[in-house]
């Protein structure tokens, strides 16, 4: 199938329909807190290797986006493989803190709290089993070595269970929706997030076909039109029959491996057994009830790339729009200390993390991943987004 584009305004209108909540497709994941830049960027993403190139009827990009929006799949089950490679160094036990993870076992909280557990999806490769039966019953299980973490939504109850620590976290769906955001776990979750970025700065095309998890699919390709973004392209494999995204891929503008691969390796659209969503705390398990009156450590973060770093700070500002948007805020303090100020091996480690830059704004350090970059100036101002280092310096200069 030859690639071709369609009217960008029509695509943007369909994307707006998704933003406005006119989608019929059921949500597959319980609302949970996933904060920090790495987790935020998971919503943007190639995926698993194709197996075949099926011959399907020609379809326009607008028709394919409409097909996704009109998808009415409410029952499914299957296995999803997610690989995230932001190019971050291995911080070991610091990983949870850097991505906004909550308490672990032995702290005041519970290791089964989804706001702590699901941040782990922001790095590495993970295998998930998922099941959905309408808006009131979903389950996602993260498979680990000799262990498993499950998040179950059944009616008004939301349960998190960590088999490794034998800990249980319980809350209600109402409280979970009030306090938490959703953790992307299926290609549809990722695709919905990507389509929110579609506007006149975006190219949307259909480029061929693929076969994913044994099903025929179209390949929807979403690309920024300008060169200021670190996003190269997003590829979504859309099930030809149901309109359900089966695989989601984000490739960085710098090339190389995908930043995130998320795709079904097995999928069924039959209704899962009702017992799939049953849960009773195992004997001897430590059960933690969420305190509905207790404030969360992390408030809801703004809908800007990397804006989680500015939570609780006044004066958050979004510079630009579309793929080139930059979140800017003032920490009210000094910037990152230099290696010479800290001294020793840790000082050298700090210097290795970022690039020193200067401009009309003064001096600062740019910290880079394969997708998200952040400029922290010496006087404590922060500029962060899925944009190049030069774009960050330009934004900081313009703000002077």
């Amino acid at each position: 199938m030859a690639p071709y584009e369609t009217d960008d305004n029509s695509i943007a209108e369909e994307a707006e329909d998704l933003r406005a909540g006119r989608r019929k497709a059921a949500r597959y994941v319980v609302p949970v807190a996933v904060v920090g830049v790495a987790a935020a960027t998971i919503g943007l993403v190639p995926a698993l290797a194709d197996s075949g190139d099926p011959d399907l009827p020609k379809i326009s990009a607008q028709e394919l986006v409409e097909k996704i929006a009109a998808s009415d799949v409410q029952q499914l089950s299957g296995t999803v493989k997610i690989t995230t490679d932001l190019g971050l160094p291995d911080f070991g036990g610091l990983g949870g803190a850097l991505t906004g993870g909550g308490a672990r076992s032995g702290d005041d909280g519970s290791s089964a709290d989804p706001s702590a557990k699901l941040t782990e999806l922001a790095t590495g490769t993970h295998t998930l089993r998922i099941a959905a039966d309408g808006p009131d019953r979903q389950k996602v299980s993260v498979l680990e070595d000799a262990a498993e973490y499950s998040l179950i939504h059944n009616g008004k109850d939301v349960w998190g269970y960590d088999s490794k620590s034998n800990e249980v976290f319980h809350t209600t769906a109402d409280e979970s929706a009030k306090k938490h955001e959703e953790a992307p776990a299926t290609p549809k979750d990722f695709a919905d997030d990507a389509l929110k970025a579609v506007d006149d700065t975006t190219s949307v095309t259909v480029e061929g076909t693929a076969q994913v998890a044994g099903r025929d699919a179209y390949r929807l390709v979403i690309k920024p039109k300008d060169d200021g973004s670190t996003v190269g392209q997003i590829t979504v494999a859309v099930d030809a029959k149901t309109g359900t995204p089966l695989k989601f891929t984000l490739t960085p503008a710098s090339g190389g491996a995908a930043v995130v691969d998320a795709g079904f390796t097995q999928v069924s659209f039959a209704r899962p057994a009702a017992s799939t969503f049953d849960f009773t705390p195992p004997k001897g398990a430590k059960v933690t009830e969420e305190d509905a009156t207790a404030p969360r450590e992390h408030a809801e973060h703004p809908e800007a790339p990397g804006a989680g770093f500015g939570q609780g700070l006044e004066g958050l500002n979004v510079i630009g729009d579309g793929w080139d948007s930059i979140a800017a805020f003032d920490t009210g303090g000094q910037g990152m200390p230099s290696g010479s100020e800290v001294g020793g091996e840790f000082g050298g480690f700090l210097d290795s993390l970022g690039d020193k830059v200067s401009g009309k704004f003064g001096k600062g350090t740019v910290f880079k991943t394969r997708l998200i970059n952040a400029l922290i100036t010496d006087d404590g101002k922060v500029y962060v987004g899925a944009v190049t280092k030069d774009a960050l310096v330009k934004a900081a200069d313009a703000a002077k």
Side-chain angles (χ1 to χ4, degrees):
M1 176 181 293
Y4 52 92
E5 295 195 27
T6 190
D7 180 65
D8 289 333
N9 289 332
S10 298
I11 293 292
E13 289 173 3
E14 292 300 328
E16 180 61 28
D17 285 347
L18 291 173
R19 282 196 291 269
R22 290 191 283 269
R23 295 165 296 197
K24 294 181 181 179
R27 285 294 189 185
Y28 303 140
V29 186
V30 179
V32 295
V34 178
V35 296
V37 171
T41 59
I42 235 179
L44 291 174
V45 209
L48 308 175
D50 297 337
S51 55
D53 192 13
D55 185 15
L56 296 173
K58 192 172 183 179
I59 190 171
S60 71
Q62 180 179 341
E63 290 169 335
L64 190 53
V65 171
E66 290 173 350
K67 192 176 185 70
I68 296 172
S71 177
D72 198 24
V73 171
Q74 298 201 28
Q75 291 88 31
L76 64 73
S77 60
T79 303
V80 174
K81 183 177 180 181
I82 299 177
T83 297
T84 309
D85 180 11
L86 286 163
L88 293 169
D90 183 4
F91 291 103
L94 290 176
L98 291 172
T99 56
R104 295 289 189 265
S105 181
D107 294 334
D108 293 338
S110 168
S111 67
D113 185 340
S115 63
K117 195 66 180 179
L118 293 187
T119 56
E120 295 175 10
L121 299 182
T123 58
T125 298
H126 303 273
T127 300
L128 283 65
R129 281 201 304 258
I130 68 167
D133 184 9
D136 296 326
R137 290 181 178 86
Q138 303 99 27
K139 180 177 181 178
V140 55
S141 296
V142 183
L143 308 184
E144 303 171 336
D145 293 338
E148 181 176 312
Y149 175 79
S150 292
L151 184 61
I152 306 106
H153 173 207
N154 192 350
K156 67 179 180 61
D157 292 309
V158 176
W159 298 95
Y161 176 58
D162 183 3
S163 68
K164 192 172 187 178
S165 63
N166 197 29
E167 292 194 24
V168 175
F169 180 84
H170 177 249
T171 186
T172 65
D174 287 345
E175 289 301 328
S176 182
K178 288 177 185 176
K179 292 191 174 184
H180 304 306
E181 296 183 354
E182 291 179 341
T186 71
K188 175 166 176 56
D189 296 325
F190 297 141
D192 284 354
D193 282 346
L195 287 170
K196 292 175 185 177
V198 172
D199 56 20
D200 58 5
T201 68
T202 308
S203 165
V204 184
T205 59
V206 177
E207 298 187 6
T209 63
Q211 191 169 80
V212 179
R215 298 186 65 90
D216 293 347
Y218 293 101
R219 293 168 56 90
L220 184 71
V221 177
I222 303 167
K223 296 180 182 179
K225 288 183 176 179
D226 53 43
D227 57 5
S229 174
T230 55
V231 177
Q233 73 175 41
I234 293 169
T235 305
V236 183
V238 183
D239 185 66
K241 184 175 182 180
T242 67
T244 302
L246 299 174
K247 141 181 159 174
F248 184 82
T249 303
L250 185 149
T251 305
S254 59
V259 172
V260 180
D261 280 351
F264 282 99
T265 58
Q266 181 275 327
V267 65
S268 169
F269 294 101
R271 172 171 285 174
S275 59
T276 302
F277 310 102
D278 292 340
F279 181 78
T280 301
K283 185 177 181 180
K286 176 186 174 183
V287 179
T288 300
E289 294 284 344
E290 180 173 43
D291 183 355
T293 64
R296 301 293 294 183
E297 181 181 354
H298 300 283
E300 290 187 9
H301 57 271
E303 294 182 4
F309 279 131
Q311 292 170 10
L313 298 174
E314 298 296 329
L316 182 68
N317 181 38
V318 177
I319 302 169
D321 53 23
W323 300 93
D324 295 337
S325 62
I326 297 171
F329 58 91
D330 192 338
T331 64
Q334 296 183 346
M336 292 288 293
S338 67
S340 59
E341 291 174 320
V342 175
E345 293 184 3
F346 188 69
F349 173 71
L350 276 179
D351 283 344
S352 71
L353 290 178
D355 296 338
K356 301 299 182 183
V357 294
S358 61
K360 295 178 182 177
F361 69 88
K363 296 182 178 180
T365 305
V366 173
F367 297 89
K368 297 183 293 184
T369 72
R370 298 180 67 223
L371 189 66
I372 295 294
N373 295 326
L375 165 61
I376 303 179
T377 68
D378 286 355
D379 60 357
K381 294 181 177 62
V382 180
Y383 302 85
V384 59
V387 297
T388 63
K389 177 174 70 174
D390 290 344
L392 293 174
V393 171
K394 183 177 179 180
D397 282 343
K400 289 301 289 182

